[in-house]
Amino acid sequence: STQTFMGTKSSNASSVFVNNSTSGVTYPSPTSWQVVIQLSSGQNTIAVFGQDASGNKSNTVTTNMRLHRLADINGDDLI
């Protein structure tokens, strides 16, 4: 399953890293970013930070998302 993550960024941030990678990150505007992530079954941790052209990094923001299949009654990834 895929999920689109998006957010805002400072216009000074030249890159946004999602899980330590800029792969797939796009910038719809100078102050926004988005990325589509393939989620694994179970717990998924998403960590995001910005970086300016000089290599200065912002604080990392982390969130967790759990992919649970509807028929997986007890959450053991068996259907």
Side-chain angles (χ1 to χ4, degrees):
S1 177
T2 60
Q3 180 69 42
T4 300
F5 290 85
M6 60 188 75
T8 59
K9 69 176 191 72
S10 164
S11 58
N12 294 343
S14 56
S15 299
V16 172
F17 289 75
V18 178
N19 292 343
N20 291 315
S21 174
T22 58
S23 179
V25 178
T26 60
Y27 306 95
S29 77
T31 57
S32 67
W33 61 272
Q34 67 183 29
V35 65
V36 176
I37 296 177
Q38 180 70 40
L39 298 176
S40 301
S41 186
Q43 188 76 7
N44 293 267
T45 300
I46 313 300
V48 180
F49 67 88
Q51 183 172 312
D52 68 15
S54 297
N56 300 306
K57 297 179 182 179
S58 70
N59 292 332
T60 300
V61 176
T62 303
T63 190
N64 294 298
M65 179 174 280
R66 183 170 186 80
L67 177 62
H68 182 82
R69 296 181 186 183
L70 188 57
D72 184 6
I73 296 168
N74 62 2
D76 63 2
D77 205 24
L78 298 175
I79 299 175

